[in-house]
């Protein structure tokens, strides 16, 4: 074999190795992204299951305030005995737009039942891509959307999960409806 043939063979071999390396790297990246997406979706599903159970138990505050305190598209505050200790806690669900996480803050009633205690924050779901779209929608007993707190009988929660919002595939939507047990007779 001549020197030119050896250089040509080495060059072809090197190019084949580059193509194989790129193929393997893209495969691992795809598997990693797919796994992260599945984890994010599973966490969001579990968050909605947990929220559904907690919301159904909405009850008056320790001072007797109405079970629902604040209704906004990406912020919802209500009262429930989340830890089953006999005291009603104030619960806030909201989208933190800085890190695209759905968070929950639990406020204990405090000595004066004023809920001015430092809340305990936890992350319910990550990669929430609702941006300026509704997470929470509120409906009366007739199924009409309402913004009157004392007429709410049903709340719809919609989470759009996407770990790579700048690339396809699009958002994965997870939705649930929650009917308040303790408010059925009040609407």
């Amino acid at each position: 074999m001549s020197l030119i043939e050896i250089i040509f063979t080495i060059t072809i071999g090197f190019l084949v190795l580059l193509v194989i390396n790129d193929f393997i790297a893209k495969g691992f990246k795809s598997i990693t992204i797919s796994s992260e997406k599945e984890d994010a979706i599973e966490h969001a599903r579990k968050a909605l299951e947990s929220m559904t159970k907690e919301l159904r138990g909405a009850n008056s505050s320790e001072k007797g305030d109405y079970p629902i305190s604040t209704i906004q598209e990406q912020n919802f505050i209500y009262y429930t005995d989340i830890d089953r200790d006999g005291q009603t806690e104030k619960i806030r669900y909201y989208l933190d737009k800085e890190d695209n996480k759905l968070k929950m803050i639990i406020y204990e009633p405090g000595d004066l039942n004023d809920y001015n205690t430092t809340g305990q924050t936890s992350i319910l779901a990550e990669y929430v891509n609702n941006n300026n779209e509704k997470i929470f929608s509120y409906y009366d007993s007739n199924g009409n959307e309402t913004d009157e707190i004392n007429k709410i009988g049903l709340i719809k929660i919609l989470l759009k999960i996407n770990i790579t919002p700048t690339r396809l595939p699009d958002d994965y939507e997870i939705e649930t409806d929650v009917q308040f047990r303790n408010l059925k007779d009040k609407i």
Side-chain angles (χ1 to χ4, degrees):
M1 287 177 65
S2 70
L3 183 59
I4 293 176
E5 290 173 327
I6 293 173
I7 292 174
F8 183 73
T9 303
I10 291 173
T11 303
I12 296 291
F14 182 71
L15 290 174
V16 168
L17 285 174
L18 281 176
V19 169
I20 290 172
N21 184 40
D22 186 54
F23 179 74
I24 291 172
K26 285 182 180 178
F28 279 128
K29 185 176 181 179
S30 176
I31 289 170
T32 302
I33 289 173
S34 178
S35 176
E36 287 176 357
K37 182 178 179 180
E38 288 176 26
D39 288 346
I41 291 168
E42 184 62 26
H43 282 97
R45 280 190 182 134
K46 287 181 180 179
L48 286 184
E49 287 175 20
S50 176
M51 290 170 69
T52 299
K53 290 177 187 174
E54 294 161 3
L55 285 164
R56 285 188 178 143
N59 213 342
S60 299
S61 75
E62 288 297 317
K63 282 188 167 181
D65 296 331
Y66 193 72
I68 299 172
S69 174
T70 301
I71 58 169
Q72 297 171 344
E73 293 180 349
Q74 295 186 346
N75 183 37
F76 180 68
I77 301 174
Y78 72 106
Y79 301 96
T80 191
D81 184 6
I82 197 165
D83 56 7
R84 310 229 188 281
D85 65 354
Q87 288 190 313
T88 304
E89 289 80 25
K90 182 178 183 179
I91 309 298
R92 177 183 180 211
Y93 299 124
Y94 71 99
L95 177 62
D96 186 339
K97 291 187 179 186
E98 289 182 21
D99 57 8
N100 294 327
K101 294 179 182 177
L102 180 65
K103 295 184 179 180
M104 173 176 72
I105 304 176
I106 301 172
Y107 300 95
E108 294 293 332
D111 294 335
L112 302 174
N113 292 329
D114 56 8
Y115 299 96
N116 286 336
T117 59
T118 302
Q120 179 184 4
T121 304
S122 58
I123 297 168
L124 298 176
E126 297 180 302
Y127 306 107
V128 179
N129 197 33
N130 285 64
N131 298 321
N132 294 322
E133 298 175 51
K134 292 181 183 181
I135 292 177
F136 304 105
S137 300
Y138 310 96
Y139 297 87
D140 63 19
S141 60
N142 298 321
N144 300 317
E145 198 161 352
T146 185
D147 59 358
E148 295 181 50
I149 287 178
N150 61 347
K151 291 191 177 185
I152 296 172
L154 179 98
I155 180 172
K156 284 189 178 204
I157 306 170
L158 172 67
L159 295 179
K160 295 182 176 185
I161 306 298
N162 195 341
I163 64 167
T164 55
T166 57
R167 291 189 344 207
L168 291 175
D170 292 329
D171 300 330
Y172 186 88
E173 294 184 0
I174 304 169
E175 183 177 8
T176 190
D177 298 341
V178 182
Q179 191 169 20
F180 296 99
R181 285 187 195 130
N182 297 334
L183 299 181
K184 287 182 186 177
D185 59 339
K186 297 182 182 184
I187 55 173

